[in-house]
Amino acid sequence: MRTTHRRWHRFGTTFAATAALAFAGFGAAATADATTPSAKATWTAAPCATPKHKGELGCDSFRVTGGLTAFQKQQAARTGLTPKAADASTPSGYGPSDLQSAYGLTSAAASKGSGETIAIVDAYDDPNAAADLAKYRSYYGLSSCTTSNGCFKKVSQTGSTTSLPSADSGWAEEESLDLDMASAICPNCNILLVEAKSATMANLGTAVNEAVTLGAKYVSNSYGGSESSSDTSYDSSYFNHPGVAITVSAGDGGYGAEYPAASKYVTAVGGTALSKSSSTRGWTESVWKTSSTEGTGSGCSSYDAKPTWQTDTGCAKRTISDVAAVADPATGVSVYDSYGVTAGWYTFGGTSASSPIIAGVYALGGTPSSGSYPAKFPYTAAGTSALNDVTSGNNGSCSPSYLCTARSGYDGPTGWGTPEGTAAFTG
């Protein structure tokens, strides 16, 4: 097993970064925000972003620690009141209705997904996973999803419900984020949480295989690390599952490829900043970038071959990403978490949020056809109204520029765009 050395220095220490929130349509509230000292959101990398042991991968998430999020500014615009800084007592990030609205999923989320199972693959155990999931779903009026009613199941990488990995509060944050995002997008879906005994590729990959063995047709993976010459063997061992939609976070370190997002068999999911707007859609998105070392990942793989459906010419091998969804912590999502932190509501960002969101969209689209590679589905819909083309922003400097800079059509940071309904994720 390789040792994972993250290119970006943010994983060496935990820190708080600031990002300006540009939020359209605020009127008087926007003026109040500009003079509020704490207006800018601040956040820190989740503890699981820093691998604890040699050979482990890191999660791709951030937790907001202060200031004001896009959701709070949206509330201020609606009420005309100056927003207050977040605390754990109430949500300060986007909830299910926001995400469903942004991605044209409101109708599908209400009527689709029954009988489908989304698997969440993470490392280590979250002892409070079921209870925290129940809190999230109850608050937002989603149907109950519990072990007793058969909707939720938590297993180890061997499929055991009793012999689980050791608990880890950092990965527990990640698991809460993933479970809540799957719920937000596909409330009628069953959820399977598969916990690897550690964050090595071998154990996480074994958990992916177990998820597929247990019947999941949609598997979300919110972790990654540096590429290596072993990646092509990991492809065949863990990610080559025809008829299964496997989504993977593109990374949070800005321009540059990571694995397993670079696998030719998966849907690599980039990240955007998502804000309300006065457009017909009602929302606008740009590439998520906070700094040169923090933003959505993208790039050209050094090892993985290009899948047949990918035809961009500036990268001879696999290009990351395929599609995207919200990931900027400043425009982050609401999560309920209690293990190792004050029990309550937190706002998260990172491409750890975008991967389970896209897995949920695949689930709303219905069971992939036998033998298909669902990573291809968005390419079939490329350039249609089934995808919101993200055309502004970048995540660094590169050549050719489309690998790190948004443009009309395909680009590295956001792929073919973000969902507008389920049509681009069905096949």
Side-chain angles (χ1 to χ4, degrees):
M1 176 53 56
R2 62 182 172 193
T3 300
T4 300
H5 296 291
R6 292 271 185 155
R7 289 183 310 106
W8 41 95
H9 61 70
R10 75 169 175 85
F11 291 99
T13 58
T14 300
F15 71 100
T18 60
L21 285 172
F23 205 71
F26 278 178
T31 302
D33 290 346
T35 59
T36 303
S38 61
K40 294 181 179 179
T42 60
W43 53 85
T44 186
C48 56
T50 305
K52 291 183 176 180
H53 306 289
K54 182 179 180 179
E56 289 195 337
L57 309 185
C59 67
D60 287 315
S61 61
F62 293 91
R63 178 162 57 86
V64 172
T65 55
L68 300 173
T69 66
F71 174 77
Q72 291 171 294
K73 292 194 170 188
Q74 179 181 324
Q75 287 182 311
R78 187 171 61 251
T79 64
L81 301 175
T82 301
K84 296 180 180 180
D87 59 45
S89 63
T90 56
S92 56
Y94 292 137
S97 63
D98 300 300
L99 297 172
Q100 291 169 20
S101 167
Y103 296 123
L105 300 169
T106 304
S107 176
S111 59
K112 306 289 186 180
S114 181
E116 304 289 355
T117 297
I118 301 172
I120 301 297
V121 171
D122 281 310
Y124 301 102
D125 180 42
D126 176 2
N128 297 356
D132 289 352
L133 177 63
K135 289 277 191 179
Y136 179 89
R137 295 180 69 103
S138 175
Y139 180 89
Y140 286 110
L142 308 181
S143 59
S144 175
C145 188
T146 65
T147 302
S148 59
N149 70 13
C151 174
F152 177 69
K153 186 176 184 179
K154 181 174 75 169
V155 301
S156 71
Q157 68 187 56
T158 64
S160 174
T161 58
T162 55
S163 180
L164 297 170
S166 59
D168 182 279
S169 60
W171 279 94
E173 290 186 11
E174 176 63 50
E175 291 173 46
S176 291
L177 167 60
D178 294 344
L179 295 172
D180 290 356
M181 290 307 96
S183 296
I185 300 300
C186 191
N188 296 325
C189 283
N190 295 331
I191 303 177
L192 171 67
L193 174 59
V194 187
E195 297 178 330
K197 67 180 180 181
S198 77
T200 63
M201 189 65 261
N203 286 324
L204 288 162
T206 297
V208 171
N209 288 344
E210 183 63 23
V212 176
T213 297
L214 292 174
K217 298 297 184 184
Y218 322 93
V219 184
S220 176
N221 305 268
S222 293
Y223 54 82
S226 300
E227 292 189 287
S228 83
S229 58
S230 300
D231 291 348
T232 53
S233 66
Y234 297 147
D235 280 352
S236 56
S237 297
Y238 307 129
F239 296 107
N240 186 6
H241 293 288
V244 179
I246 302 176
T247 64
V248 180
S249 302
D252 294 348
Y255 177 67
E258 74 172 40
Y259 191 86
S263 172
K264 64 181 179 180
Y265 297 120
V266 310
T267 301
V269 186
T272 67
L274 173 71
S275 299
K276 270 283 191 182
S277 79
S278 57
S279 65
T280 302
R281 178 188 171 196
W283 299 84
T284 185
E285 289 176 278
S286 60
V287 175
W288 165 44
K289 177 188 176 184
T290 305
S291 69
S292 61
T293 56
E294 185 183 304
T296 184
S298 73
C300 182
S301 174
S302 297
Y303 301 98
D304 246 81
K306 207 171 198 66
T308 57
W309 51 86
Q310 197 171 58
T311 59
D312 62 298
T313 58
C315 171
K317 295 187 182 295
R318 162 74 156 124
T319 308
I320 301 166
S321 297
D322 301 307
V323 291
V326 61
D328 187 344
T331 67
V333 297
S334 178
V335 173
Y336 190 90
D337 186 48
S338 70
Y339 185 67
V341 295
T342 299
W345 294 97
Y346 296 91
T347 296
F348 279 85
T351 53
S352 277
S354 56
S355 176
I357 286 173
I358 295 300
V361 181
Y362 273 113
L364 291 176
T367 305
S369 54
S370 177
S372 67
Y373 284 98
K376 179 181 179 180
F377 297 170
Y379 288 78
T380 304
T384 73
S385 59
L387 292 158
N388 300 303
D389 192 8
V390 180
T391 59
S392 64
N394 69 81
N395 64 347
S397 300
C398 65
S399 181
S401 62
Y402 79 90
L403 294 175
C404 63
T405 304
R407 65 177 185 178
S408 179
Y410 181 83
D411 56 70
T414 65
W416 284 107
T418 63
E420 184 58 44
T422 64
F425 300 86
T426 302

